[in-house]
Amino acid sequence: MQPGWLRATWKRQTLLVERQDGSGRSWSIWCHNRRMTQFLEDVSIPIRPEIPALFAREWSRLAAPGSYWSGRQRIEMAATAREARAGSRNGNSSLPAAAEEAASLLGARPAGTSRSWVESTMVDLGSGPYIEIVGVVSRAVAVDTFHRAIGSPLPRLPESVAGDPTGINDPAARSGPAWVPMVGGASIVGALSAVPPEAEAQEDMHGPLYLTYQQMQDLGFVRGLSRPQMELVAARTSAINECFY
Amino acid sequence: MLRASSENRGDALDPRAITDPSIDPLVEGGSRLIGFVDAVLGGGNVDGRRASLGTALGSDAVVDASATIANFEMMNRIAQGTGMPVGKGSLAQTEEWRSLIGLDRYRHR
């Protein structure tokens, strides 16, 4: 392994190698000597290596079959959310209409959701498929938002990986006070727990971008920002999104 | 978390800045941080706000602010997409702040 390279593995069947370019500020995913996606182009400041490594993992998850949707469909969800945020729709999606609507609304106007809309969407799609859309879109938006904030073009969406959905779900999930079934009591950490790979991906994102669930207990945590500064950013973001969370 | 972390450090804080950017939050670099969030999510001059933030707090702060915005873009969508309720304990703890900054107008509780 040469200096400037990181190795990331995901689900054993996928091997990714990310190269730090000469500037130290632009990152690529390389697989079998072919560059698949470049992250964080034209960025003028150094980025913590865990962030591009995270994005490589997320793009691998996005491209692969999920519990209920194919890799191609998951990428179409991310593309639909990206287009909705940009105020454009290309209409080329092969997603069912309810799935396309969900990806669009969650991507561009998440405050527009309601219990009746979620229940209606779950009648059309099933609760598990809907929960997977929430996970896929929310993480794709996070990757895009970081690129916009840091001053980089959005990364190209990945090529899909062939294969059938895995069907992985948690049969212990039950309806409760939230709008979707989940395992255990209602909590933001367990929001996607009915579809375990989506809950695991949420936790994987949370650490590098903000704090691990364990680090959240440390009110004195300091990195580039102090904890009150981080929380101010979080609170303002939630206010703009009209989200009590 | 904002209130708890500020109290932990003994820092001053005006939470009204969360919903009213014209108010100084009293957190170091707070107005620049809010200006950066607003530019990223509202289509403003992101380059200018990023440069201003970097000058005031440094490039690591720009990275952390960008990452925090990204994380809460994700978490907000998860909360709003799943209808995550806020627990009775949290509602009781935040009653004063909710009234002060008008959080009760948001539906997801």
Side-chain angles (χ1 to χ4, degrees), chain A residues 219-235:
Chain A
L219 296 175
F221 186 90
V222 176
R223 196 162 44 201
L225 294 176
S226 70
R227 193 69 193 275
Q229 290 171 322
M230 291 179 79
E231 299 303 334
L232 182 66
V233 170

Side-chain angles (χ1 to χ4, degrees), chain A residues 106-107 111 113 130 224 229 236, chain B residues 18 28 40 64 77 80-81 107:
Chain A
L106 290 164
T113 57
Y130 171 71
Q229 290 171 322
R236 182 62 186 159
Chain B
I18 295 168
E28 183 189 358
V40 170
D64 267 8
R77 281 166 173 76
Q80 292 170 310
R107 287 185 302 141

Side-chain angles (χ1 to χ4, degrees), chain B residues 80-93:
Chain B
Q80 292 170 310
T82 62
M84 187 56 53
V86 178
K88 290 178 182 174
S90 295
L91 283 176
Q93 287 176 357

Side-chain angles (χ1 to χ4, degrees), chain A residues 142-155:
Chain A
V143 174
D144 281 2
T145 297
F146 185 87
H147 279 75
R148 172 171 167 71
I150 212 71
S152 171
L154 301 185

Side-chain angles (χ1 to χ4, degrees), chain A residues 17-37:
Chain A
V17 179
E18 301 129 22
R19 187 178 73 171
Q20 185 176 14
D21 288 349
S23 66
R25 292 163 181 165
S26 182
W27 299 77
S28 303
I29 302 178
W30 291 73
C31 186
H32 302 300
N33 294 321
R34 188 168 71 92
R35 191 171 79 181
M36 301 178 71
T37 301

Side-chain angles (χ1 to χ4, degrees), chain A residues 45-48 51 85 106-114 118 130 134-135 137-139 141-143 145-146 148-152 177-180 182 186-188 190-192 202 205-206 208-210 213 216 219-220 222-245, chain B residues 1-6 8-9 11 13-14 17-21 25 27-31 33-34 36-44 46-47 50 53 57 59-86 90-91 94 98 103-109:
Chain A
I45 57 176
I47 308 292
R48 287 185 268 121
I51 291 178
R85 280 160 59 82
L106 290 164
R109 201 168 56 84
T113 57
S114 65
V118 169
Y130 171 71
V134 174
V137 168
S138 64
R139 296 192 304 276
V141 167
V143 174
T145 297
F146 185 87
R148 172 171 167 71
I150 212 71
S152 171
W179 299 341
V180 303
M182 56 188 64
S187 76
I188 191 68
L192 309 178
Q202 173 189 342
M205 297 282 284
H206 204 269
L209 291 180
Y210 172 57
Y213 294 160
M216 286 179 68
L219 296 175
V222 176
R223 196 162 44 201
L225 294 176
S226 70
R227 193 69 193 275
Q229 290 171 322
M230 291 179 79
E231 299 303 334
L232 182 66
V233 170
R236 182 62 186 159
T237 301
S238 297
I240 290 172
N241 285 331
E242 300 178 26
C243 181
F244 189 93
Y245 174 81
Chain B
M1 286 295 190
L2 175 56
R3 179 169 64 179
S5 59
S6 295
N8 182 64
R9 287 168 54 101
D11 288 352
L13 170 68
D14 188 339
I18 295 168
T19 50
D20 183 351
V27 173
E28 183 189 358
S31 293
L33 286 165
I34 286 178
F36 183 57
V37 175
D38 288 4
V40 170
L41 300 184
V46 182
D47 290 345
R50 186 188 315 108
L53 180 61
L57 298 179
S59 58
D60 287 350
V62 172
V63 173
D64 267 8
S66 301
T68 302
I69 298 168
N71 185 69
F72 280 83
E73 281 272 89
M74 175 183 75
M75 298 301 282
N76 290 166
R77 281 166 173 76
I78 292 172
Q80 292 170 310
T82 62
M84 187 56 53
V86 178
S90 295
L91 283 176
T94 58
R98 283 189 286 117
L103 282 186
D104 284 341
R105 67 177 180 268
Y106 302 147
R107 287 185 302 141
H108 294 279
R109 356 177 344 231

